[in-house]
């Protein structure tokens, strides 16, 4: 029974990530910096990390990226998202194991997501000058990570009654 609950919870989180990704594309949040978005879909990965562990969160992360890329993007966008998402996930996993706060884990994830994307952009576009955009993306990643971390903390408090494992 436990395995069925985990699979159902993963499906819910993937669906949540997909809906949040869709909403983020449809609703303008008026962020004046090109390429910067709130990354609300990463809430689902963060929630998965704290509720079902690293393996389940990795699956949610990868499925979220592929669904989003196939629906709203292209192969390049998927590569950028995959690089950012996997680096972000790895750092969030380390942060959780080191017992960082949810906010710190999310901020580190937001920061690393942007770093991963810039690295891939530099490789694909063969434009090392893109590194000059990194300070802006670092600040944006930390800020959006703080927003997502705060939201995740609030959501997780209300979900304390739900027992997945």
């Amino acid at each position: 029974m436990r395995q069925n609950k985990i699979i159902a919870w993963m499906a819910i989180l993937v669906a949540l990530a997909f809906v949040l990704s869709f909403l983020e594309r449809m609703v303008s949040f008026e962020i004046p910096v090109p390429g910067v978005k709130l990354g609300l879909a990463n809430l689902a990965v963060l929630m998965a990390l704290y509720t079902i562990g690293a393996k389940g969160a990795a699956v949610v992360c990868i499925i979220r990226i592929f669904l989003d890329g196939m629906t709203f993007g292209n192969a390049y966008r998927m590569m950028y998202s995959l690089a950012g998402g996997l680096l972000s996930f790895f750092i969030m996993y380390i942060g959780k194991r080191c017992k960082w706060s949810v906010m710190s884990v999310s901020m580190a994830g937001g920061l690393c997501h942007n770093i991963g994307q810039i690295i891939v952009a530099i490789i694909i576009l063969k434009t090392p000058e893109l590194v000059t955009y990194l300070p802006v993306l670092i600040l944006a990643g930390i800020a959006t990570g703080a927003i997502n971390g705060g939201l995740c903390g609030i959501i997780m408090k209300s979900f304390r009654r739900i027992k997945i494992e």
Side-chain angles (χ1 to χ4, degrees):
M1 183 62 174
R2 179 181 178 272
Q3 188 68 23
N4 291 340
K5 282 184 179 182
I6 291 172
I7 291 170
W9 183 239
M10 286 171 55
I12 289 168
L13 290 174
V14 167
L16 173 67
F18 190 69
V19 168
L20 289 173
S21 185
F22 175 75
L23 289 175
E24 196 166 19
R25 288 189 194 333
M26 296 299 116
V27 178
S28 174
F29 290 105
E30 300 302 321
I31 298 174
V33 182
V36 173
K37 58 182 193 153
L38 290 176
L40 293 174
N42 291 322
L43 273 170
V45 177
L46 195 57
M47 289 175 60
L49 187 60
Y50 279 91
T51 57
I52 56 177
K55 288 179 187 174
V59 170
V60 170
C61 178
I62 292 168
I63 292 173
R64 176 197 73 79
I65 290 167
F66 280 107
L67 281 177
D68 182 71
M70 289 187 302
T71 306
F72 304 117
N74 55 39
Y76 287 109
R77 183 184 215 148
M78 222 182 307
M79 282 191 297
Y80 294 132
S81 292
L82 198 55
L86 291 178
L87 181 59
S88 172
F89 169 76
F90 180 69
I91 294 302
M92 289 192 307
Y93 169 71
I94 289 172
K96 182 181 180 277
R97 292 210 23 131
C98 291
K99 304 214 184 299
W100 296 353
S101 69
V102 174
M103 177 79 73
S104 297
V105 168
S106 181
M107 290 169 68
L111 166 71
C112 289
H113 193 281
N114 290 341
I115 290 171
Q117 288 187 327
I118 281 291
I119 290 169
V120 168
I122 289 170
I123 292 168
I124 289 175
L125 300 173
K126 296 178 178 59
T127 310
E129 296 82 16
L130 288 173
V131 77
T132 59
Y133 193 47
L134 202 50
V136 172
L137 290 179
I138 286 172
L139 291 174
I142 292 170
T144 57
I147 291 167
N148 285 332
L151 288 171
C152 186
I154 292 167
I155 292 167
M156 295 298 290
K157 281 181 186 173
S158 67
F159 279 13
R160 293 260 189 248
R161 297 182 311 265
I162 298 174
K163 297 289 185 211
I164 303 300
E165 297 184 50

